[in-house]
Amino acid sequence: MPFEIKQRQSIVVYLYHLKQSKILRKYGTIQYVSRKMKYVVLYLDQDKVAETMEKVTKLKFVKAVVKSPRPEIKRDFQNGEIYKMTEEDQDKNN
């Protein structure tokens, strides 16, 4: 049985009070808890994101749920579409 890497994604759950933050463990892995801004970053499998967001949104102690945009962000900077080299940079490379 070969090892397969599962695609993961984070969601940010904003809470009214942090007392209930431990309840969120059953929905995913708690990566970070901000005491000052009262939010929890949860990591979970990408295929379960939609249904988990619906479940978590229905909880009474949850203010808002935001999905991380990281998987949709284009991370290929090699072809120069986003970043264009200045003349200085081109001179340094040559």
Side-chain angles (χ1 to χ4, degrees), residues 11-18 24 34 37-41 56-57 59-67:
I11 60 172
V12 181
V13 182
Y14 292 94
L15 307 172
Y16 289 107
H17 303 286
L18 288 176
L24 296 173
S34 172
M37 297 181 67
K38 296 182 183 175
Y39 69 86
V40 176
V41 177
V56 171
T57 305
L59 298 173
K60 290 183 180 181
F61 56 88
V62 174
K63 192 183 295 186
V65 180
V66 179
K67 187 169 92 172

Side-chain angles (χ1 to χ4, degrees), residues 4 18 43 46 49 63:
E4 292 183 28
L18 288 176
Y43 271 97
Q46 207 168 22
V49 170
K63 192 183 295 186

